[in-house]
Amino acid sequence: MCQVDEEYHGELDRPEVPSVSKKCVKCKEATAVLVIRAGDSFCRGCFKDYFIHKFRAMLGKNRIIFPGEKVLLAVSGGPSSCSMLNQVQEGLNQNAHKKLRFIPGIVYIDEGGALGQSMEERRRNVAEMQSVCKATTFPHHVVALEQVFDLPSSVLAAAASSSPERPANAYKAAVDRFIQTNHSHCVTEERDADLSGLSIQESHTQSLQQLFSTVKTLTAKEDLLHTLRQHVLVHTARTEGYSKVMQGDSCTRLAVKLLTSISLGRGAQLAVDTGFSDARYGDIITVRPMRDFSAKEISFYNRMYNVPSVFIPSLDTKTPDKASIQRLTESFVTHLQTDFPSTVSTIYRTSEKLQTACPPQGSATADSSKKCLLCLCALDTTLGKASAFQATLISEQLSQRGAQEATNPGISTPTPAPRAPGLSAAPGPTATPGQCCSVGVAEGCGRTGGCCSSVNASETTQLKKLLCYSCQLTVKDMVSVDVLPHYILSEAQRRKMRSQMREEICEFLLEEDYDEEEKEEAKS
């Protein structure tokens, strides 16, 4: 046992630090040039084989992408997505081992309108992406984020999958057919695209800037931007005939996303948000083949093999650590990873074991009213009275009531009925929650149809009923929901009318349990 007055005469033993002078752990011959983890030293050639094998093993193990399918590569210009693009390009090479057999395409979404960038800056960013796209022979598409104001409401509906469930031996049979047809190359000829000339309506740019200016916190802005980006990706994939969307989320990014999602109340959606595949949209499946790679591995590979990448500013560029929940979580994980190298891998392995209790996300036959309007995940707000969610509602209602009584002493406020979180009116620039914008004026604000606070509260309440808990928090941070894109508001109105119709004819509808019993009897 250690003693206070114990003396040490010899030198303490220090753990052996990996050195680049060691031999490669794989070939045992060449000198290692990099150390990924403690004890994992690779030479240049073995590291490339390790990186390529890891990427293709991830695709081969899951077998979601069948030969001949069109896959849309979402490239943002960052190191991870550009490395993914390089791996696909290498895999389609004629001399490649375990050659990839799908038909790729590239999409880049210009988000400069949401960041307030000038057209010159946006054209410069697109021109840099043009050099990356032209280095491949893949067809490429450049889409501005302003396209969300032209999207149809069908984006928010899970379409029927074009490839239903296949038997276990379907993949092998598809490979055999693909080889017999003697497809020498899967890549279509490059299509000329004027990437430097974006056709953007000035009114759409102003509407997009107004939309993000109404969001009060950076946390909600980043969440809203991610949602709109996913909608544009799905619409582009559908219109261009792609059945899969490939994103370059790395292991480090998914570890940050997992902790961020828990903080934002998306615990029920963790399995689809961080898993290899995401089938919530039905006919379009999102895959993440880079989820086994850490940011360190990707940086080493890009540096050693000159993989080009483009730095494009985002919402959280040059912001402090506490600017948003996403930024704070990223800073926490990266700093912890510095002192404890197994942090990211531990969080990542935990995410692999998560499974949701919600119904399958990719079921197109599921009732759309049971899915969130924005993220299309199963609603997690239909819980019993004895739940943490209901306790949060009661606490929030009491807090709002206390704030109103403190603002207007002597005015009694009736206890509201239980409802979704954040059902008070969205506060305006000069009004507190629940008050009119013309406080102290006898005639009120003069808005047709009632006070502005009651109208805003009604609109926000109706929209929040269609959202999951996390998306409700995002809408809660918005001053007004009127600035949302038209396809979101129209789909919300459609679901509202459908719900009212269902309530009117509910007495004539058969119960779901009765339908299931009838199906079981028919099968027997």
Side-chain angles (χ1 to χ4, degrees):
M1 180 180 295
C2 297
Q3 301 295 333
V4 176
D5 56 351
E6 186 174 359
E7 296 181 0
Y8 295 94
H9 300 286
E11 295 183 358
L12 296 178
D13 295 333
R14 294 181 178 273
E16 188 178 2
V17 180
S19 172
V20 292
S21 62
K22 286 188 172 184
K23 296 296 182 181
C24 175
V25 296
K26 187 175 182 181
C27 65
K28 310 294 183 182
E29 297 178 357
T31 303
V33 297
L34 60 93
V35 179
I36 299 177
R37 291 173 295 272
D40 290 346
S41 306
F42 290 92
C43 65
R44 183 182 180 91
C46 291
F47 176 66
K48 183 176 182 180
D49 295 339
Y50 157 82
F51 199 92
I52 294 176
H53 172 75
K54 204 175 188 179
F55 180 83
R56 298 179 190 176
M58 175 62 71
L59 295 176
K61 178 176 63 176
N62 293 276
R63 294 189 174 183
I64 293 179
I65 302 178
F66 276 61
E69 279 192 303
K70 297 183 66 177
V71 180
L72 187 63
L73 310 180
V75 179
S76 63
S80 184
S81 61
C82 288
S83 180
M84 177 187 69
L85 177 61
N86 177 266
Q87 288 302 303
V88 173
Q89 190 176 6
E90 292 284 342
L92 292 171
N93 194 347
Q94 295 296 323
N95 300 325
H97 179 61
K98 293 184 179 179
K99 181 181 176 182
L100 301 178
R101 298 182 176 92
F102 55 82
I103 305 174
I106 306 174
V107 60
Y108 166 68
I109 299 179
D110 175 40
E111 303 172 358
L115 306 179
Q117 295 179 348
S118 63
M119 286 303 299
E120 294 181 0
E121 294 176 333
R122 299 178 66 177
R123 289 193 181 98
R124 183 166 57 250
N125 293 335
V126 172
E128 293 180 0
M129 287 301 303
Q130 180 182 16
S131 62
V132 176
C133 293
K134 284 191 173 182
T136 67
T137 57
F138 307 154
H140 41 266
H141 315 276
V142 177
V143 183
L145 189 63
E146 284 86 344
Q147 190 176 344
V148 294
F149 294 98
D150 293 328
L151 295 182
S153 58
S154 59
V155 175
L156 301 177
S161 176
S162 58
S163 56
E165 295 185 3
R166 296 162 171 159
N169 59 348
Y171 186 85
K172 186 177 183 303
V175 172
D176 294 338
R177 289 195 303 268
F178 186 84
I179 295 176
Q180 290 175 2
T181 53
N182 192 19
H183 283 77
S184 57
H185 22 249
C186 310
V187 183
T188 58
E189 295 183 357
E190 181 180 3
R191 185 178 61 186
D192 293 334
D194 185 12
L195 301 182
S196 59
L198 288 174
S199 57
I200 304 174
Q201 297 184 18
E202 184 66 24
S203 59
H204 287 354
T205 303
Q206 295 177 358
S207 299
L208 185 64
Q209 293 177 354
Q210 182 184 7
L211 170 62
F212 280 88
S213 65
T214 58
V215 184
K216 295 178 288 186
T217 62
L218 182 60
T219 300
K221 287 182 180 180
E222 293 188 27
D223 195 47
L224 178 62
L225 177 61
H226 172 74
T227 300
L228 297 179
R229 185 193 303 123
Q230 289 298 118
H231 293 172
V232 174
L233 283 176
V234 171
H235 177 70
T236 304
R238 285 175 177 170
T239 54
E240 300 295 337
Y242 294 91
S243 59
K244 303 290 189 301
V245 175
M246 189 177 290
Q247 295 183 338
D249 295 327
S250 64
C251 174
T252 306
R253 176 57 55 189
L254 291 179
V256 174
K257 189 175 184 180
L258 183 141
L259 296 182
T260 302
S261 298
I262 294 177
S263 303
L264 296 177
R266 294 189 62 84
Q269 294 86 15
L270 285 179
V272 293
D273 286 344
T274 61
F276 174 78
S277 62
D278 183 358
R280 73 182 73 179
Y281 296 100
D283 58 335
I284 305 297
I285 299 179
T286 302
V287 294
R288 304 179 181 96
M290 301 295 292
R291 67 190 305 264
D292 265 354
F293 296 92
S294 65
K296 182 179 180 180
E297 292 173 335
I298 295 173
S299 300
F300 270 129
Y301 185 87
N302 291 355
R303 179 65 180 272
M304 293 175 63
Y305 295 99
N306 300 321
V307 177
S309 60
V310 181
F311 172 75
I312 298 177
S314 59
L315 283 174
D316 60 350
T317 300
K318 294 185 178 181
T319 57
D321 293 346
K322 297 181 181 180
S324 66
I325 294 179
Q326 295 91 338
R327 184 72 181 87
L328 181 62
T329 306
E330 181 181 5
S331 176
F332 169 74
V333 172
T334 53
H335 283 83
L336 196 61
Q337 175 74 10
T338 304
D339 297 328
F340 303 94
S342 61
T343 299
V344 169
S345 60
T346 301
I347 300 174
Y348 168 70
R349 297 304 173 189
T350 303
S351 67
E352 288 185 328
K353 300 178 176 62
L354 296 176
Q355 292 184 357
T356 178
C358 301
Q361 301 290 349
S363 177
T365 59
D367 188 2
S368 60
S369 62
K370 297 181 180 180
K371 292 187 176 184
C372 177
L373 177 66
L374 294 181
C375 66
L376 265 71
C377 288
L379 288 177
D380 54 357
T381 56
T382 56
L383 302 174
K385 295 182 178 180
S387 62
F389 176 70
Q390 293 297 331
T392 303
L393 296 186
I394 296 175
S395 176
E396 185 176 0
Q397 291 163 8
L398 293 176
S399 300
Q400 293 174 356
R401 180 183 178 185
Q404 293 176 7
E405 291 178 352
T407 306
N408 301 310
I411 300 178
S412 60
T413 305
T415 304
R419 48 187 177 178
L423 296 189
S424 62
T430 59
T432 57
Q435 287 185 339
C436 176
C437 61
S438 57
V439 179
V441 181
E443 60 272 13
C445 62
R447 178 168 177 169
T448 305
C451 178
C452 62
S453 61
S454 61
V455 174
N456 290 337
S458 176
E459 294 174 353
T460 307
T461 301
Q462 295 298 330
L463 181 62
K464 287 183 177 179
K465 291 180 180 179
L466 307 175
L467 305 177
C468 65
Y469 179 70
S470 178
C471 292
Q472 285 182 3
L473 297 181
T474 301
V475 173
K476 181 182 176 181
D477 283 337
M478 297 181 61
V479 176
S480 174
V481 298
D482 295 335
V483 294
L484 286 171
H486 176 70
Y487 73 99
I488 296 178
L489 299 178
S490 62
E491 177 65 15
Q493 182 67 18
R494 188 192 71 83
R495 292 190 183 186
K496 176 184 175 182
M497 299 296 294
R498 189 176 182 86
S499 178
Q500 293 177 352
M501 183 183 301
R502 186 180 183 88
E503 292 178 358
E504 293 175 359
I505 63 174
C506 63
E507 298 180 356
F508 307 97
L509 298 176
L510 297 177
E511 297 181 358
E512 294 182 0
D513 296 339
Y514 180 80
D515 293 341
E516 293 178 358
E517 293 177 359
E518 288 289 332
K519 292 180 181 179
E520 292 179 358
E521 293 179 359
K523 290 181 180 179
S524 59

